[in-house]
Amino acid sequence: MCDINALTAVPCGDNTPGTKQTGYTVPVSEITADPDYASTTAEGDYVLTDSDFDFTDAASGAGYWRSFPMLINKNSYAISAVGGIGSKGWKETFTFVLAGMNEQQLEFATRSLNIPSAWLCTDKVGKVHVIGRKDDPAYIETVEGSTGDGPESERIITVTVSAYTSRPMIYLGAIDTTPNA
Amino acid sequence: MTTTETLPANLRGKYELTEPLKGGPVYAFPAIGIAKIDFSKLTERQANRLIAKKWPGIRRVEKQPVKRTISAPEDTGTQQ
């Protein structure tokens, strides 16, 4: 049976909504191994990692997290339970907004469109949420972009990626942004 | 892998990585507010900042105490 720990209240002032403005993504084909979950049983450890993502076997020039800027206060990581009674899992959703409709943003969205991938989203409390795993990847679910129609509208691309998991993951390791040699 | 040997030579005697990091040497630590850090070019200021932010992957090298011995002056056998 699963051990359920008593739940401690969120520390005072440590519950700021929203995410920080940099996201990270990598095609899962470049991941050699996902991080391990912590094996201890202290409160919260069930979803914490205790090792890094491994990109050892990725090709030269690959095997690293690609960073991308997000429009602040427009991004979120969400989870919802899905499945029938007694068979539930989680659907994780990461929604982010790219400012701009230039060639760079369009290229990023187009190349990410149909590839299985993993994503990292840091919330404002500093928790790095993982969406997608090596063998349980995330895919882009929706993308909508617009130049806007006037001075008070927005020129943005809104992207939603989603994945299913039985256990959320908060990543404590280093985010490797160095391409393999 | 990024290890203590990756650090600049002038820092290796002062700081060490508690365990090797896969890949690197450039990483991001958004959870502690660091967007980019290159361990091959790490400065002392950056190292101290990682420690202040309680990142467990780096620590200061503990200085080993210097052992001192006191011995009697050598007897040269000369008498005046």
Side-chain angles (χ1 to χ4, degrees):
Chain A
M1 294 292 288
C2 291
D3 289 326
I4 298 178
N5 292 313
L7 182 61
T8 308
V10 173
C12 179
D14 197 16
N15 203 31
T16 312
T19 75
K20 296 188 179 181
Q21 65 180 7
T22 303
Y24 300 87
T25 184
V26 65
V28 295
S29 59
E30 298 179 17
I31 299 175
T32 303
D34 292 328
D36 299 316
Y37 284 101
S39 58
T40 48
T41 57
E43 184 186 0
D45 283 2
Y46 185 65
V47 298
L48 295 178
T49 61
D50 71 352
S51 62
D52 296 344
F53 276 94
D54 185 356
F55 299 114
T56 304
D57 295 338
S60 172
Y64 67 104
W65 289 100
R66 281 67 157 180
S67 64
F68 58 93
M70 304 184 290
L71 194 56
I72 196 67
N73 296 331
K74 292 220 178 247
N75 318 289
S76 65
Y77 164 80
I79 57 169
S80 60
V82 294
I85 298 289
S87 299
K88 291 201 182 294
W90 293 107
K91 180 178 182 180
E92 300 179 299
T93 304
F94 174 32
T95 300
F96 60 89
V97 172
L98 304 174
M101 282 275 281
N102 297 338
E103 62 272 28
Q104 295 91 343
Q105 290 80 38
L106 291 171
E107 175 188 280
F108 180 84
T110 303
R111 288 189 168 169
S112 301
L113 213 52
N114 293 305
I115 61 166
S117 47
W119 302 75
L120 300 179
C121 160
T122 307
D123 67 27
K124 287 198 178 179
V125 180
K127 308 301 179 184
V128 181
H129 300 276
V130 181
I131 303 96
R133 316 283 190 274
K134 174 177 172 56
D135 290 324
D136 210 353
Y139 280 89
I140 283 186
E141 193 170 290
T142 62
V143 181
E144 289 190 22
S146 173
T147 58
D149 55 15
E152 294 188 11
S153 52
E154 293 173 314
R155 185 167 179 268
I156 57 173
I157 300 175
T158 303
V159 182
T160 299
V161 302
S162 65
Y164 294 91
T165 185
S166 61
R167 193 197 298 193
M169 178 182 280
I170 291 181
Y171 185 54
L172 300 182
I175 297 175
D176 185 3
T177 57
T178 316
N180 282 1
Chain B
M1 299 289 279
T2 297
T3 66
T4 300
E5 295 306 309
T6 309
L7 302 181
N10 63 313
L11 289 193
R12 275 179 232 152
K14 298 180 183 178
Y15 302 91
E16 61 184 4
L17 297 188
T18 57
E19 57 183 22
L21 299 175
K22 294 187 178 75
V26 183
Y27 300 89
F29 298 96
I32 56 174
I34 295 175
K36 177 183 177 181
I37 200 157
D38 184 345
F39 283 97
S40 67
K41 300 174 186 173
L42 193 72
T43 64
E44 194 151 359
R45 182 178 179 185
Q46 289 173 323
N48 289 332
R49 186 174 176 209
L50 286 169
I51 293 172
K53 293 281 188 179
K54 296 185 171 50
W55 183 62
I58 194 168
R59 63 182 167 217
R60 289 189 185 87
V61 173
E62 295 292 330
K63 288 186 178 178
Q64 297 300 320
V66 176
K67 290 185 179 178
R68 297 182 185 277
T69 57
I70 299 175
S71 57
E74 183 179 344
D75 183 3
T76 59
T78 57
Q79 291 185 354
Q80 292 186 351

